[in-house]
Amino acid sequence: MDREKRKYDYLLILLSIAILLGAWIIFSQMNPKVFPTPLAAWERLVKLVERPVMKISIWGHIGISLQRVLIALAVATVLGVAFGLVTGWCPRIKAAFNPLFVALRPIPPIAWIPLIILWFGIGEFPKVLLVFIGAFFPIAQNTMAGVEMVDDMYLKVGKIYKANTWNMLRHIVFPASMPAIMAGIKISLSSGWMVVVAAEMLASKSGLGFLIIRGQESFDIALVLVGMVLIGLIGAAFSIVFTFIERWICPWMTK
């Protein structure tokens, strides 16, 4: 049954890809100059490999975007998990910091761009900072929710064995909150990938977002589509890889 279900899922995936390509071909036939065909996008990708933009290869642009996201995500994971654990565990700390957290969380990361450029310029740090802002809040929020949902039975067992606060957090609360934490990281990964592209489109000379804005400025629509397709494919790859990591860390979630 599992094999048949997987085959059915794979067929649905292939069908959805085929529908997307078919729609792309149909719409591109209406006005190829405004909406290039898949073949034109492929030829532009080949040309991009042969002739780098700003003396950076396509792999270099992809690597730069990935580096910005992964650095910001790593920092956001450490700080977000720590903040979520502490605020979820201690009511007084939550009472002190939660109002500020709730006020800042709805602000889109892109809304910070004018202030961050004013404060830090348009170098590398502002882009990483923007991604960090987009990644921190989902991780912190999910971690906090995970801590608050820990079963009281686990906490009572820890108290019976006279575990101190550190041991309670390390051996009981943190493992029990792991599914919520992983869900927050997965959301942040997607959010961070979108934010870095937006940041690169506004002020950058490298990265996939830069390629899209470069294509817009030169009316190279094929380059815009190449950048969009690469962003989508890498985002999908992120999701697939992280799903395997999530299953490895939290195997009980798949049962």
Side-chain angles (χ1 to χ4, degrees), residues 14 22 38 40 45 61 63 78 92 94 101 111 114 119 121-122 139 158 180 184-185 213 221 231 234 246:
L14 292 175
L45 176 61
H61 286 290
V78 173
R92 290 184 179 179
K94 182 178 181 180
F101 179 82
W119 294 337
I122 56 173
I139 295 175
I185 296 174
I213 203 67
I221 309 302
I231 290 167
I234 295 172
E246 191 175 22

Side-chain angles (χ1 to χ4, degrees), residues 110-180:
I110 298 175
W112 291 93
I113 288 177
L115 287 177
I116 289 178
I117 291 178
L118 180 64
W119 294 337
F120 304 106
I122 56 173
E124 194 66 21
F125 175 73
K127 300 176 184 62
V128 176
L129 180 58
L130 280 171
V131 180
F132 167 81
I133 293 172
F136 172 80
F137 288 100
I139 295 175
Q141 179 68 29
N142 274 49
T143 303
M144 198 185 309
V147 172
E148 293 173 348
M149 291 189 297
V150 174
D151 197 323
D152 288 338
M153 181 182 67
Y154 300 148
L155 301 178
K156 290 177 181 178
V157 171
K159 292 178 180 178
I160 291 173
Y161 285 95
K162 298 181 180 181
N164 57 29
T165 300
W166 167 247
N167 286 328
M168 291 279 281
L169 288 173
R170 180 183 176 186
H171 296 293
I172 298 177
V173 177
F174 179 70
S177 305
M178 186 57 69

Side-chain angles (χ1 to χ4, degrees), residues 7-254:
K7 289 181 180 179
Y8 184 71
D9 291 341
Y10 291 147
L11 287 174
L12 289 177
I13 292 172
L14 292 175
L15 179 61
S16 64
I17 294 173
I19 292 174
L20 179 61
L21 287 175
W24 185 353
I25 293 171
I26 291 172
F27 285 112
S28 63
Q29 296 299 323
M30 297 178 182
N31 194 340
K33 292 183 179 180
V34 177
F35 198 73
T37 63
L39 179 60
W42 172 257
E43 292 174 349
R44 186 64 183 89
L45 176 61
V46 173
K47 184 179 178 181
L48 190 61
V49 173
E50 297 173 349
R51 297 175 59 184
V53 177
M54 296 296 291
K55 298 182 180 180
I56 302 175
S57 68
I58 181 60
W59 308 113
H61 286 290
I62 293 173
I64 290 170
S65 293
L66 287 174
Q67 182 180 16
R68 289 165 178 161
V69 171
L70 294 178
I71 290 174
L73 184 67
V75 178
T77 299
V78 173
L79 297 182
V81 170
F83 178 84
L85 285 174
V86 173
T87 52
W89 177 257
C90 183
R92 290 184 179 179
I93 294 179
K94 182 178 181 180
F97 289 98
N98 197 53
L100 180 62
F101 179 82
V102 171
L104 293 176
R105 182 165 52 97
I107 301 176
I110 298 175
W112 291 93
I113 288 177
L115 287 177
I116 289 178
I117 291 178
L118 180 64
W119 294 337
F120 304 106
I122 56 173
E124 194 66 21
F125 175 73
K127 300 176 184 62
V128 176
L129 180 58
L130 280 171
V131 180
F132 167 81
I133 293 172
F136 172 80
F137 288 100
I139 295 175
Q141 179 68 29
N142 274 49
T143 303
M144 198 185 309
V147 172
E148 293 173 348
M149 291 189 297
V150 174
D151 197 323
D152 288 338
M153 181 182 67
Y154 300 148
L155 301 178
K156 290 177 181 178
V157 171
K159 292 178 180 178
I160 291 173
Y161 285 95
K162 298 181 180 181
N164 57 29
T165 300
W166 167 247
N167 286 328
M168 291 279 281
L169 288 173
R170 180 183 176 186
H171 296 293
I172 298 177
V173 177
F174 179 70
S177 305
M178 186 57 69
I181 294 173
M182 296 301 292
I185 296 174
K186 192 171 187 178
I187 295 171
S188 294
L189 186 59
S190 175
S191 173
W193 187 238
M194 290 188 289
V195 172
V196 75
V197 171
E200 291 170 349
M201 290 176 69
L202 290 172
S204 181
K205 294 183 178 179
S206 60
L208 292 175
F210 164 74
L211 292 181
I212 291 176
I213 203 67
R214 181 65 175 264
Q216 177 193 352
E217 292 173 349
S218 58
F219 203 70
D220 187 351
I221 309 302
L223 179 58
V224 175
L225 287 176
V226 168
M228 292 174 63
V229 170
L230 289 175
I231 290 167
L233 290 176
I234 295 172
F238 267 146
S239 180
I240 293 171
V241 171
F242 193 82
T243 297
F244 283 107
I245 295 174
E246 191 175 22
R247 290 176 181 175
W248 175 61
I249 295 177
C250 307
W252 62 89
M253 293 177 61
T254 60

